[in-house]
């Protein structure tokens, strides 16, 4: 209930507003009442005048008596006529002739005035002016209102027309009945106005009270609507300490608590979004029906789908496992799944871990799936398995040969001077092959572990490349009966190019590529070697005229133990590690190596090294300063 303090309420603006409302209502009623009473008074007076008007036949009879020569007889007739006429509203009727003499009166108590001259000025004026005169007067002696009418009396001639004034008819009527009715009506109206004022005052107070109740309720409604829209800034005004005031305080406290909770939730959400967006693992959360509600950027990239398209769809469809698993399977058995999303454009293998989102009551409200990219790990595992298989295979072949030849020698072949040297030569070659392969594996292992020492020096790459090629020319010149003839064609830039490299390791790279070019070139083929400068790079290329490399094998040329023609390579003594070592060395020097090949036309290997132009005098200046 809304409570007012009595001594303060009548001083409040609310009470003043209610009072003004009641007074305005009263003034309105009074104005309406005054107009109504005035109209009623005018109508009643008009009706009263109509009621006290003397009939025409009496006027004519009285006028006729005033023309009689016998005054005594005429006065008697006038008295008879007046006494016979009865009108309760008329107090007195007097007949005065044209000379101002009173000839008769209806007042039986005042018959002594008959025969006397009238002293009423209005009667005299009516006689002299020959016109009707009316007025309303107030008698202070008896507090009465009277209506006075003085009407001229005319005699009739032989034609029947009134022509000569013979006197006047004085009528005095008491208007008590008229004003009594008006006073009664005004009394009723005043009482009604007072009642209306009291009711208006009560209505105004009731409106104020209702306003005092509904206003805070409306404000509380608006505040709750703002809270529902997420706006917690507003506060409900507290008007009193009653139940509504307590409710307003409770809503204000609720608004503050909800805002604090919302800010805390929003901060946690932003923190969670930040964590999810920076995670290297993909995260997907679902509702209890398996529809996705949260997916981070990493998971979107894994699935190749935008978050907008993923949210609302089933996790079974996004992970493409609907044909193999149901949502119940994922809920009941949270085993990790290996998912392969590899395509022609990329290799992608994911490990999917599932966990339940449960409330304290045990109700399952969703799933969380963490996607971990194990593509590289799988590749490493496959490479490791392939490496062990390749090493085992590469070592088993020479060891089998060694064992066969050693067993033959043990069985007595060493005594045969024609067979024994050949067997020993093969044993030595296979041993050298295994030692070479093991040294290359050790070199690769050191490169993988980062323990390889690199001795960088500034080298004239033109002279170094020429020196390597000269060695291959010299091998051909010293061999009187070479297994294969070849020609080395040089296309070098004339400008000296100084590059910072490890000379020994880079020489090994050039040797590997040249050996392969010569090995796979046809007899009499041309090996073209180029050296040029482009921007901040030095490009070395070595082209052969061999069988070339199939397009499907180009991406694997630098893999360890990879051979395009395995049988031919093994027969020619290759280990399949030379190009892998070359790639590691070039990358250690900050460069890049790649191959371009057309099957049946040959292959071209390119080496790109970082280069900064130096003038020769700058190099000598550096040496002198050192």
């Amino acid at each position: 209930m809304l409570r007012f303090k009595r001594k303060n309420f009548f001083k409040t603006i609310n009470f003043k507003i209610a009072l003004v409302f009641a007074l305005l209502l009263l003034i309105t009623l009074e104005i309406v009442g005054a107009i109504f009473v005035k109209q009623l008074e005018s109508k009643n007076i008009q009706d009263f005048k109509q009621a006290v008007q003397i009939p025409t036949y009496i006027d004519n009879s009285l006028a006729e008596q005033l023309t009689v020569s016998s005054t005594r007889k005429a006065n008697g007739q006038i008295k008879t006529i007046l006494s016979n006429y009865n009108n309760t509203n008329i107090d007195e009727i007097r007949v005065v002739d044209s000379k101002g003499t009173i000839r008769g009166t209806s007042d039986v108590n005042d018959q002594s005035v008959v025969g006397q001259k009238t002293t009423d000025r209005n009667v005299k004026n009516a006689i002299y002016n020959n016109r009707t005169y009316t007025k309303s007067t107030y008698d202070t002696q008896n507090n009465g209102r009277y209506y006075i009418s003085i009407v001229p009396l005319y005699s009739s001639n032989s034609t029947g027309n009134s022509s000569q004034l013979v006197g006047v008819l004085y009528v005095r009527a008491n208007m008590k009945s008229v004003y009594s009715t008006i006073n009664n009506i005004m009394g009723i109206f005043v009482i009604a106005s007072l009642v209306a004022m009291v009711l208006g005052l009560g209505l105004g107070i009731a409106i104020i009270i209702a306003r005092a109740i509904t206003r805070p309720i409306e404000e509380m409604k608006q505040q709750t609507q703002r809270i529902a829209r997420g706006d917690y800034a507003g506060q409900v005004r507290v008007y009193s300490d009653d139940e509504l005031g307590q409710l307003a305080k409770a809503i204000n406290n609720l608004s503050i608590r909800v805002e604090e909770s919302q800010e805390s939730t929003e901060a946690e959400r932003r923190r969670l979004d930040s964590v999810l967006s920076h995670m290297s693992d993909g995260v997907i959360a679902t509702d209890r029906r398996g529809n996705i509600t949260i997916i981070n950027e990493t998971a979107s990239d894994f699935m190749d789908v935008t978050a907008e398209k993923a949210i609302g769809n089933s996790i079974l469809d996004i992970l493409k496992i609907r044909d193999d698993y149901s949502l119940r399977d994922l809920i009941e058995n949270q085993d990790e799944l290996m998912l392969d999303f590899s395509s022609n454009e990329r290799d992608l293998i994911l490990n999917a871990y599932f966990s339940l989102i449960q409330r304290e009551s045990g109700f399952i409200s969703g799933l969380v799936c963490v996607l971990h990219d194990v593509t590289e790990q799988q590749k490493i595992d496959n490479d490791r398995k392939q490496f062990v298989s390749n090493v085992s295979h590469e070592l088993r072949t020479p060891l089998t040969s060694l064992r066969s030849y050693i067993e033959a020698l043990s069985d007595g072949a060493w005594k045969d001077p024609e067979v024994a040297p050949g067997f020993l030569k093969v044993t030595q070659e296979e041993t050298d092959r295994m030692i070479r392969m093991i040294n290359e594996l050790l070199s690769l292992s050191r490169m993988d572990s980062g323990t390889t020492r690199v001795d960088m020096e500034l080298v004239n790459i033109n002279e170094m490349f020429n020196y390597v090629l000269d060695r291959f020319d010299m091998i051909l010149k010293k061999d009187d009966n070479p297994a294969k003839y070849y020609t080395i064609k040089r296309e070098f830039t004339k400008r000296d190019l100084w590059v910072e490299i490890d000379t020994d390791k880079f020489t090994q790279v050039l040797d590997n590529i040249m050996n392969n070019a010569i090995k796979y070139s046809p007899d009499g083929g041309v090996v073209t070697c180029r050296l040029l400068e482009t921007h901040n790079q030095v490009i070395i290329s070595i082209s052969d005229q061999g069988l070339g490399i199939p397009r499907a094998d180009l991406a694997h040329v630098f893999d360890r133990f990879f051979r395009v023609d395995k049988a031919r390579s093994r027969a020619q003594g290759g280990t399949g590690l030379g190009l892998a070592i070359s790639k590691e060395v070039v990358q250690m020097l900050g460069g890049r190596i790649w191959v371009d090949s057309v099957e049946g036309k040959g292959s071209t290997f390119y080496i790109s090294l970082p280069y900064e132009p130096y003038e020769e005098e700058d190099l000598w200046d550096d040496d002198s300063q050192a």
Side-chain angles (χ1 to χ4, degrees):
M1 293 292 293
L2 190 66
R3 295 188 296 270
F4 293 100
K5 294 181 179 179
R6 181 177 297 177
K7 61 180 180 180
N8 293 329
F9 173 70
F10 297 104
K11 298 180 181 180
T12 62
I13 189 66
N14 291 330
F15 176 76
K16 293 177 180 178
I17 292 174
L19 184 60
V20 169
F21 174 78
L23 291 175
L24 288 175
L25 180 63
L26 178 62
I27 292 172
T28 303
L29 290 174
E30 289 299 327
I31 292 173
V32 172
I35 295 173
F36 173 76
V37 170
K38 190 67 176 175
Q39 293 291 330
L40 180 64
E41 179 183 8
S42 176
K43 184 69 170 73
N44 287 348
I45 290 176
Q46 184 177 359
D47 293 341
F48 181 79
K49 289 180 180 180
Q50 294 277 343
V52 299
Q53 187 176 3
I54 302 300
T56 303
Y57 73 91
I58 294 180
D59 290 345
N60 294 333
S61 298
L62 293 175
E64 185 181 351
Q65 294 300 323
L66 291 177
T67 60
V68 176
S69 58
S70 174
T71 302
R72 185 179 184 87
K73 183 179 178 180
N75 289 342
Q77 290 296 325
I78 290 172
K79 181 177 180 181
T80 302
I81 293 171
L82 293 178
S83 62
N84 290 332
Y85 180 72
N86 184 21
N87 192 327
T88 57
N89 293 319
I90 298 176
D91 283 353
E92 181 182 8
I93 300 175
R94 287 184 182 183
V95 179
V96 182
D97 61 16
S98 59
K99 295 179 182 180
T101 304
I102 300 173
R103 301 290 297 273
T105 178
S106 62
D107 187 0
V108 294
N109 297 322
D110 195 20
Q111 293 295 321
S112 59
V113 298
V114 176
Q116 297 181 7
K117 292 287 186 178
T118 181
T119 59
D120 193 327
R121 183 184 306 171
N122 295 322
V123 175
K124 292 179 180 180
N125 291 333
I127 294 172
Y128 296 150
N129 295 325
N130 191 18
R131 63 185 181 85
T132 302
Y133 178 80
T134 61
K135 75 171 184 177
S136 297
T137 62
Y138 179 76
D139 192 345
T140 58
Q141 293 181 357
N142 55 10
N143 295 325
R145 288 181 179 275
Y146 294 92
Y147 170 74
I148 296 175
S149 175
I150 303 174
V151 180
L153 298 175
Y154 298 95
S155 63
S156 298
N157 53 23
S158 60
T159 62
N161 294 325
S162 298
S163 59
Q164 183 179 0
L165 178 70
V166 292
V168 296
L169 181 65
Y170 172 88
V171 178
R172 188 179 71 165
N174 193 341
M175 301 181 69
K176 180 179 180 180
S177 61
V178 175
Y179 285 98
S180 176
T181 302
I182 294 175
N183 289 335
N184 291 335
I185 293 175
M186 287 187 62
I188 295 173
F189 195 82
V190 168
I191 294 174
S193 299
L194 293 176
V195 172
M197 179 180 177
V198 173
L199 292 177
L201 183 62
L203 180 61
I205 295 175
I207 293 173
I208 293 173
I209 294 175
R211 179 65 175 166
I213 295 174
T214 58
R215 183 176 181 181
I217 293 176
E218 180 65 23
E219 291 181 0
M220 286 185 279
K221 173 187 173 183
Q222 294 175 358
Q223 178 62 15
T224 54
Q225 290 175 344
R226 287 195 294 267
I227 293 175
R229 292 193 301 266
D231 180 11
Y232 311 103
Q235 290 285 304
V236 179
R237 181 179 175 183
V238 180
Y239 292 92
S240 61
D241 294 331
D242 57 6
E243 291 83 352
L244 288 177
Q246 294 173 4
L247 180 58
K249 292 178 181 178
I251 291 178
N252 290 336
N253 293 333
L254 175 64
S255 178
I256 294 172
R257 296 289 181 85
V258 172
E259 183 178 13
E260 292 175 350
S261 176
Q262 185 70 14
E263 290 177 352
S264 176
T265 303
E266 187 65 20
E268 290 296 329
R269 188 189 65 79
R270 288 195 297 268
R271 190 179 298 113
L272 177 61
D273 289 343
S274 178
V275 170
L276 291 177
S277 62
H278 290 87
M279 285 182 64
S280 59
D281 290 339
V283 178
I284 299 175
T286 74
D287 56 19
R288 60 189 182 90
R289 295 181 178 85
N291 296 324
I292 294 175
T293 57
I294 297 175
I295 181 170
N296 69 347
E297 186 175 348
T298 305
S300 296
D301 293 339
F302 285 161
M303 301 296 103
D304 194 21
V305 64
T306 61
E308 290 77 10
K309 291 184 178 179
I311 291 176
N313 291 322
S314 174
I315 190 173
L316 301 176
D317 296 328
I318 296 299
L319 297 181
K320 300 177 182 178
I321 58 175
R322 182 175 290 277
D323 294 338
D324 301 320
Y325 298 92
S326 65
L327 184 62
R328 181 175 294 276
D329 294 333
L330 300 182
I331 294 175
E332 294 178 351
N333 303 308
Q334 293 92 49
D335 297 332
E336 62 182 69
L337 301 179
M338 191 72 69
L339 306 176
D340 189 353
F341 288 92
S342 300
S343 62
N344 295 331
E345 292 78 15
R346 64 172 180 174
D347 293 331
L348 181 60
I349 300 175
L350 302 176
N351 226 346
Y353 303 90
F354 295 92
S355 61
L356 300 178
I357 303 176
Q358 282 184 299
R359 300 176 185 171
E360 294 182 358
S361 61
F363 178 77
I364 298 174
S365 57
L367 276 174
V368 172
C369 176
V370 178
L371 301 173
H372 181 63
D373 187 358
V374 294
T375 306
E376 192 64 28
Q377 180 181 343
Q378 289 292 316
K379 183 178 179 182
I380 292 173
D381 289 343
N382 293 333
D383 290 345
R384 178 180 55 80
K385 294 175 182 178
Q386 187 66 31
F387 177 76
V388 172
S389 176
N390 288 333
V391 170
S392 301
H393 184 75
E394 294 295 334
L395 290 176
R396 183 176 59 187
T397 301
L399 285 174
T400 302
S401 299
L402 283 175
R403 180 180 178 181
S404 299
Y405 283 107
I406 291 174
E407 286 179 353
L409 291 172
S410 297
D411 291 338
W414 63 275
K415 297 176 182 180
D416 189 342
E418 295 180 0
V419 176
F423 282 11
L424 291 174
K425 182 181 179 182
V426 173
T427 303
Q428 184 179 0
E429 288 175 354
E430 294 295 335
T431 304
D432 291 341
R433 179 182 170 189
M434 285 190 296
I435 292 173
R436 186 169 64 253
M437 183 177 64
I438 291 173
N439 287 335
E440 290 176 348
L441 288 173
L442 290 175
S443 178
L444 282 172
S445 177
R446 285 192 294 271
M447 292 180 187
D448 290 339
S449 61
T451 58
T452 301
R453 180 180 177 182
V454 180
D455 297 322
M456 304 294 285
E457 58 179 331
L458 201 60
V459 177
N460 188 326
I461 197 69
N462 309 59
E463 295 180 356
M464 178 187 174
F465 198 11
N466 266 319
Y467 172 75
V468 173
L469 298 180
D470 288 343
R471 285 196 292 108
F472 283 94
D473 284 338
M474 190 63 64
I475 292 173
L476 191 61
K477 290 178 181 179
K478 288 183 178 181
D479 194 346
D480 296 333
N481 188 21
K484 181 185 296 185
Y485 287 95
Y486 56 87
T487 301
I488 297 177
K489 180 182 178 182
R490 294 173 172 84
E491 295 179 1
F492 286 10
T493 180
K494 294 180 180 180
R495 180 180 178 182
D496 289 338
L497 304 177
W498 293 82
V499 181
E500 194 172 10
I501 58 174
D502 186 319
T503 307
D504 292 337
K505 291 183 172 55
F506 194 68
T507 301
Q508 182 183 4
V509 172
L510 295 177
D511 284 342
N512 284 334
I513 297 175
M514 283 300 298
N515 281 323
N516 284 339
I518 295 171
K519 184 187 303 181
Y520 294 107
S521 290
D523 191 15
V526 178
V527 177
T528 304
C529 300
R530 298 180 180 88
L531 175 63
L532 56 93
E533 167 196 1
T534 171
H535 300 298
N536 58 346
Q537 299 287 326
V538 169
I539 307 296
I540 296 173
S541 66
I542 299 173
S543 303
D544 61 50
Q545 296 177 333
L547 297 176
I549 303 171
R551 181 176 297 274
D553 294 332
L554 283 176
H556 304 286
V557 167
F558 298 99
D559 292 350
R560 300 173 188 185
F561 295 110
F562 180 80
R563 296 185 181 90
V564 177
D565 187 349
K566 297 179 174 57
R568 183 180 176 188
S569 299
R570 190 172 291 112
Q572 293 178 347
T575 62
L577 296 174
L579 290 179
I581 294 175
S582 299
K583 179 181 179 182
E584 296 291 338
V585 171
V586 172
Q587 289 179 346
M588 287 173 57
L589 299 177
R592 189 168 70 92
I593 184 172
W594 70 97
V595 63
D596 188 14
S597 180
V598 177
E599 195 170 1
K601 293 184 179 181
S603 303
T604 301
F605 283 83
Y606 297 90
I607 299 174
S608 172
L609 294 173
Y611 163 70
E612 293 183 6
Y614 287 99
E615 298 295 336
E616 191 169 353
E617 53 270 19
D618 295 337
L619 299 173
W620 285 109
D621 290 343
D622 292 342
D623 293 340
S624 63
Q625 291 175 4

